[in-house]
Amino acid sequence: EYDGVIKESAESQESLNKYLPVCFGLIVLLLIAQFRSYRRSLIIVLTIPLIIIGAALGLLIMQGNFGFMVILGLYALAGIIVNNGIVLIERIDSERNESDDGGGEAIVTASVRRLRPILMSTFTTILGLVPLMLSGDVLFYAMAAAISFGLAVGTVLSLGVVPVLYSLFFGIQPAKHRQ
């Protein structure tokens, strides 16, 4: 009996992994097309691994099993983190276009202005997953735990990492330290 389940799971994971490089390439191309910039696209791609930290913690704390549904959850979670990065970078670009301080203050202002919307969408998503975690459902429990914790930790980390990477990639220094 277990051999059939393991075989089906392996086949499902193989079919997901088969098209992963193509999908990842398309995502990168879409990001480059949207921003018309390799650096902005790279910033967003570099935030994707941040979800692994929270997802791993969530699975450890909630004692969930890593399986096919968790992998699907990680793909969905990557999309949410990419969306957060896009929203933040677009706001930083808007603030830089409107200000004339060189960008340091624009990064801070954009981060503050996007903090509440990003946190609100994160909290509502996590709250929507709480019933799946409380139910203890075999199919969705680990996925909900991975998404919830991955989203919480990934969002907090990306809110710090995106502005820092933006300032590093574009050579922007804080206004008070400029000479």
Side-chain angles (χ1 to χ4, degrees):
E1 290 292 325
Y2 286 114
D3 186 44
V5 173
I6 292 171
K7 184 179 177 184
E8 287 177 11
S9 178
E11 289 173 359
S12 299
Q13 289 179 6
E14 183 180 317
S15 67
L16 276 178
N17 293 336
K18 181 178 177 181
Y19 297 107
L20 184 63
V22 174
C23 291
F24 185 75
L26 285 173
I27 290 169
V28 170
L29 286 175
L30 287 172
L31 289 171
I32 292 170
Q34 177 180 354
F35 289 118
R36 290 182 222 107
S37 167
Y38 294 108
R39 291 184 283 186
R40 287 175 181 85
S41 302
L42 183 60
I43 291 168
I44 291 173
V45 169
L46 289 175
T47 61
I48 295 173
L50 299 175
I51 64 172
I52 301 297
I53 299 166
L57 281 173
L59 290 174
L60 286 171
I61 291 170
M62 303 300 284
Q63 298 178 354
N65 295 324
F66 186 82
F68 178 74
M69 292 301 288
V70 173
I71 293 171
L72 284 178
L74 289 175
Y75 292 154
L77 186 55
I80 296 169
I81 292 297
V82 164
N83 185 47
N84 289 346
I86 290 170
V87 166
L88 192 52
I89 287 178
E90 284 187 341
R91 188 67 206 177
I92 292 171
D93 287 340
S94 295
E95 291 291 332
R96 283 186 69 195
N97 290 337
E98 293 172 7
S99 73
D100 43 337
D101 76 336
E105 190 64 33
I107 292 175
V108 173
T109 303
S111 298
V112 170
R113 286 189 178 171
R114 286 292 158 233
L115 178 66
R116 187 183 307 171
I118 289 173
L119 289 180
M120 290 292 286
S121 65
T122 297
F123 290 143
T124 55
T125 303
I126 292 170
L127 287 174
L129 291 167
V130 167
L132 289 175
M133 288 191 295
L134 293 178
S135 72
D137 183 51
V138 176
L139 192 58
F140 297 112
Y141 175 76
M143 180 190 71
I147 291 175
S148 297
F149 281 81
L151 186 57
V153 172
T155 297
V156 170
L157 291 176
S158 67
L159 285 171
V161 168
V162 169
V164 169
L165 288 177
Y166 192 98
S167 64
L168 287 174
F169 284 12
F170 290 95
I172 298 171
Q173 297 179 3
K176 60 184 177 184
H177 294 292
R178 218 175 271 156
Q179 298 173 350

